Amino acid sequence: MAALLFGCQQKKEEPQPMNVDTTKVHKKVIYQVFPRLFGNTNTTNKPWGTLEENGTGKFSDFTEKALEEIKNLGVTHIWYTGVPHHALVTDYASQGISPDDPDVVKGRAGSPYAVKDYYNVNPDLADTVENRLQEFKELIARTHNAGLKVLIDIVPNHVARNYEGNSTPTGLEAFGASDDRTVTYARNNNFYYIPDSDFKVPVWENGYLPLGGADHEMSDHEFVEVPAKWTGNGSRAAQPKMNDWYETVKVNYGVRPDGSYDFESLPESYDQEDFKTHYEFWQDKSVPDSWVKFKDIALYWLEHGIDGFRYDMAEMVPVEFWSYMNSHIKMKNNEALLVAEVYQPTLYRDYIRKGKMDYLYDKVELYDSLKHIMQGHGWTDHIPKVLEGLQDIEHHMLHFLENHDEQRIASPEFVGNALKGMPAMVVSATSTTSPTMIYFGQEVGEAGAENAGFGQPSRTSIFDYIGVPSHQRWVNDKNYDGGQLFDDEKKLRDFYRRLLNFTVASEALMGTYQDIHYFNKDHTEGYDHKVLSYVRWSDAEKLIITTNFHDGDSRVFELKIPQEIIKEWNLDEGTYPVVDALYGSEKEMAVKNGIGKLDITLNPLESFIFVVK
């Protein structure tokens, strides 16, 4: 990341205050959790272990107590990851569920992003498989009763290689049911085909074997698919590579094989129009069949009480589809929360403004920058520039330090110490008005060290039956009270609880931001490129935030608040008490000659969120 390494050494102009919509009630905090992993108390952790050997969590593990504790952490929304019925190896044939072939399933528990039936839920998660949809509805109700809102996944770009859709409601069709398989492409085909070619399982490399080489009657390096379909990542080969998304097939949105669109484009001016206007635009338009199928899926889940969706790899699907899809959702529930995985900054504004997304992953800007700083080869100087560059869409960028795709902070491959995430977490949660997302176990320093089988250390496996050790200590035999946590894990969770609860209550964090980092680099002795400071304010609340990314050194300095901010805050000459919102320490800020001055001692990895009284 050359801009981070070299750009930080150049003199920067002061960013202007970020004026944002203060009608937003509070910050949102999303808790991402895998139900398959959350309540699993089995500690066997055998690589490639079966459900019976390694255990699995259930919907019922989210008890009233568990949900209360999640809410008390400072959470507003839960993203239950891996809920739709996806391909998996465990045998449920006796419950009327067709078996899945290990040759086109990743791991034993399967990828949650290879959905097999969008109108039902993962049988692993039910106490009674035949009653699994009802059990999930009961979980939705429990979650709502706890004061939390519910998100689930929709994976628009691809479905499982063996998609069946056996629970598709009467009057609707499963994906591919009416496809013309004699042609590569047809507008209303749901999939792309390779006529006159049979699918072939990839050639396994580097010693890989499905199920780790364990015996299975269907593990024979064959899977019948005639004709072959394009693979989920776009591979057009009848035999995809091992590193292709071979367990999935790509969905056709009316994009011809040459990349041209077989549907009407949105007028450029529609980036300024609201979702109601977008909805009206599509009412007299013919759209590809896949659009309608996914719209029906989303509305089905809204009917079941789902409050929003997280969209996997949304940038691989045309923005016009999102205009159609999301405007229909918003017409049904205008408060539905829509989060999208988009990694190309050049697409951000189109997917927000034309695609009507509420929030996009802020990975390649803020997350990557914070990761570089945490790992010791980045400077905090880069953060104000990142925030400045996203100023016009700052409210729409979802902040996180962990999720199922990223390495655990505590893993050696990241920084090897969960405490090193504390200053970054403060910045991630308080620098903008956007939502914060944490990944279950992050709050207790989970390291993701298990060799799960398909899933390897540094990331908690989403493909395998596995236990999550630090999190299991918090679960404490389903008492959900942290009774087995080590002292440092308890302190870390307490830090997250203090921080997140403050963020969802703070009015200033939905107000104005201004950098004071560069001012202090120029005017403050002892202040350096591993410290970051900024201010946030509203009419009722004024915050001074400073944090130390040094993991071994304290920093002592006189933090300065520039004249224009003191003037904006209407502060006269004199002294003002300030109180740290995290741990309650009290100090005084002196205003002299129009500049605020505050003596600071920042211990390694310490942060302050000072509230000016």
Side-chain angles (χ1 to χ4, degrees), residues 52 56 210 212 381 533 599:
E52 292 76 19
T56 186
D381 298 35
S533 303
D599 289 332

Side-chain angles (χ1 to χ4, degrees), residues 36-37 40-57 108 451-453 464-468 472:
R36 187 207 305 144
L37 303 176
N40 182 21
T41 57
N42 186 312
T43 59
T44 304
N45 283 0
K46 174 184 175 182
W48 292 102
T50 65
L51 185 154
E52 292 76 19
E53 290 170 326
N54 282 358
T56 186
R108 278 193 181 272
N451 176 3
D464 303 280
Y465 299 111
I466 201 72
V468 185
Q472 288 175 320

Side-chain angles (χ1 to χ4, degrees), residues 528 530-531 548-555 603-606:
D528 66 15
K530 288 296 182 70
V531 177
N548 180 15
F549 282 84
H550 286 280
D551 63 350
D553 298 321
S554 296
R555 285 293 178 267
N603 293 320
L605 305 176
E606 187 174 31

Side-chain angles (χ1 to χ4, degrees), residues 283-457:
Q283 293 312 293
D284 62 352
K285 306 295 190 299
S286 171
V287 299
D289 183 74
S290 295
W291 293 29
V292 178
K293 281 186 166 62
F294 268 109
K295 178 262 294 179
D296 289 342
I297 288 164
L299 297 184
Y300 170 87
W301 286 111
L302 289 178
E303 289 284 352
H304 283 74
I306 295 300
D307 302 296
F309 304 101
R310 181 268 190 187
Y311 298 130
D312 183 76
M313 294 304 296
E315 66 194 73
M316 298 182 77
V317 178
V319 74
E320 279 81 1
F321 163 74
W322 293 118
S323 164
Y324 171 87
M325 171 85 151
N326 291 339
S327 63
H328 278 79
I329 289 171
K330 292 290 190 179
M331 290 296 291
K332 181 76 173 176
N333 177 4
N334 64 5
E335 294 185 354
L337 192 77
L338 307 176
V339 178
E341 186 182 25
V342 175
Y343 294 135
Q344 298 182 62
T346 56
L347 299 179
Y348 287 171
R349 288 156 183 83
D350 269 357
Y351 277 73
I352 292 166
R353 295 168 180 166
K354 288 185 176 181
K356 297 302 160 194
M357 298 295 185
D358 292 317
Y359 305 110
L360 307 181
Y361 275 31
D362 194 352
K363 180 192 183 303
V364 300
E365 300 281 8
L366 188 63
Y367 168 86
D368 282 351
S369 299
L370 288 171
K371 185 172 184 178
H372 275 73
I373 297 166
M374 294 160 69
Q375 291 177 324
H377 44 261
W379 287 19
T380 54
D381 298 35
H382 194 62
I383 300 301
K385 302 308 295 181
V386 166
L387 299 179
E388 184 181 17
L390 295 171
Q391 181 173 339
D392 60 320
I393 54 171
E394 60 87 32
H395 181 67
H396 300 280
M397 303 306 297
L398 176 73
H399 292 176
F400 59 87
L401 294 182
E402 286 189 3
N403 63 46
H404 68 276
D405 285 320
E406 306 300 340
Q407 293 169 330
R408 292 286 195 177
I409 296 168
S411 70
E413 295 82 358
F414 194 148
V415 291
N417 180 355
L419 299 181
K420 291 185 179 181
M422 292 168 63
M425 193 64 219
V426 170
V427 175
S428 184
T430 67
S431 57
T432 75
T433 69
S434 64
T436 304
M437 183 171 74
I438 67 168
Y439 188 35
F440 85 108
Q442 176 183 342
E443 71 275 25
V444 292
E446 174 57 39
E450 297 72 43
N451 176 3
F454 191 90
Q456 296 296 303

